[in-house]
Amino acid sequence: MSHMPTRTVLFVTLAILFAGLFLPGPASAHNVSKRDAKFVQSTQGAAIAPFVYLGAKHMVTGYDHLAFLAGVVFFLYKLKDIVLYVSLFTVGHSVTLLGGVLTGIHANSHIIDVIIGLSVVYKAFDNMSGFKRLFGFEPSARIAVLIFGLFHGFGLATKLQELDLSRNGLITNILSFNAGVEIGQVLALTAIVLALSYWRTHRSFSHYAFAANAALMSVGFVLAGYQLTGYFATA
Amino acid sequence: MLVQEKTLAEVEAPSKKAILEATLIALLVAVAILFVAVLPAEYGIDPLRTGRALGLIGLSKAADSGNSAGGRATPAQTGIYKAQAGAYKVDSEDLTLRPGEGVEIKYHMQTGAAMLYAWKADAKVQFEFHGEPDHKPSPDYFESYQLDNKAGQDHSYGSFTAPSTGIHGWFWENKGSRDVNIHLSTAGFYDSARMYSDGPPEPLAVEDAK
């Protein structure tokens, strides 16, 4: 293989330190911010536009979702493939977001967020050909994105449940929130796909694709470790 | 486009060793970031003391205390209560001081341990509320918290948090011409008590609160 281990090590380390610097401090991946939470709790009845906005904001600022999506589309350059994979992800997270909130199933949000962090690790490992080279088989990327979509939706559901939504106008508001999530996802994906497409036209893409996925994997480990500690610290 | 695009299949497959290496590095880097920055900033968990050094500890404290008035129950400001280690004890003592006599009662407490106290006398007595750390710079070292060696007082009630691990308590002196009776009640997280009068220190029995 073309890249030398030392160069890879250096690049991964720098990329991760860089990413670490920008990891938000007290604000967490999918906490709807405190001010927004007050609004949600004081809302009685349907409020379409605010919930669409909150859903979109959540997605655009939810770096765990973004990291996973970046991993999913990393090696996709045909629009048809991008639409297919993102649709699978959307179906997955919509099912559990709507289902979770409507049926009142409560999952531990830290555990869900650990799984979301590990989904980033999984996808990065997959992109590094880890499954093919180490285990001699490649699990279906489509099924994986669907299943992890279910967990991402559960994460969203637990956050909405913590807000103690009013029953009045609940379905309209969750659907609005979900619509906002999709809008935010399209916005975020447009930026990610544009950036990746641009990078792909440069030689450095094939040189550093492996290292970039190693960096992505490390981000996933950080997210998982952060939430795992949160689970024990707040238990 | 001049530069040829590569599909997934065309990107050279990395070796097993490279994948394992990169995975291990990714994990180690993540653990380092967690311990150096994320855990101190988010939870105040700071095993390497890097959070303190980088000033990240304040973030988790600010998040804990950040609040504003709202219609719903919000967490109150911090510092309202303080959890205490150790057993909750109660003690009450009755003393009689003859004219010219002095006596001292001291409780052994850990730094930060709290105590409520109340003492009452049937005449004014001179007193000093003071403490001596277990590790003191010189044999005669003590810290004075409250002193009245002039007119004196016939009571004092309050709460106290030990500034150091050591013995903390009161010295009373009867400078009048009649006997004075003093009643002292305390409750808190001290571990033992002693009385100092003329002779050697005399241990006092303190009770575990029921």
Side-chain angles (χ1 to χ4, degrees), chain A residues 40-43 159-167, chain B residues 72:
Chain A
V40 170
Q41 285 165 347
S42 64
T43 300
K159 293 304 184 299
L160 269 182
Q161 284 165 335
E162 281 168 10
L163 295 178
D164 197 9
L165 289 172
S166 158
R167 300 299 303 180
Chain B
R72 287 178 162 265

Side-chain angles (χ1 to χ4, degrees), chain A residues 16 25 77 133 201 218 221 226 230, chain B residues 7 14 16 26 29 33 42-43:
Chain A
I16 287 302
Y77 62 96
R133 303 286 291 182
T201 62
S218 203
F221 278 131
Y226 165 38
Chain B
T7 63
K16 277 188 191 182
V29 170
I33 290 174
E42 300 294 336
Y43 305 113

Side-chain angles (χ1 to χ4, degrees), chain B residues 89-97 103-109 115-122 125 127-129 146 154-160 168-172 180-188 190 192-196 204-207:
Chain B
K89 309 265 191 186
V90 291
D91 183 37
S92 69
E93 303 294 338
D94 284 293
L95 313 162
T96 301
L97 293 182
V103 71
E104 206 170 355
I105 289 183
K106 293 255 186 68
Y107 294 88
H108 190 264
M109 301 170 77
M115 168 170 79
L116 285 176
Y117 64 87
W119 62 261
K120 243 192 277 196
D122 56 10
V125 284
F127 75 98
E128 182 166 32
F129 183 16
Q146 187 188 12
D154 62 2
H155 72 275
S156 178
Y157 312 138
S159 62
F160 171 73
H168 308 274
W170 296 265
F171 170 73
W172 295 276
V180 178
N181 297 303
I182 301 172
H183 177 76
L184 168 71
S185 300
T186 63
Y190 40 77
S192 61
R194 278 181 171 188
M195 179 156 70
Y196 302 77
L204 299 172
V206 293
E207 292 173 51

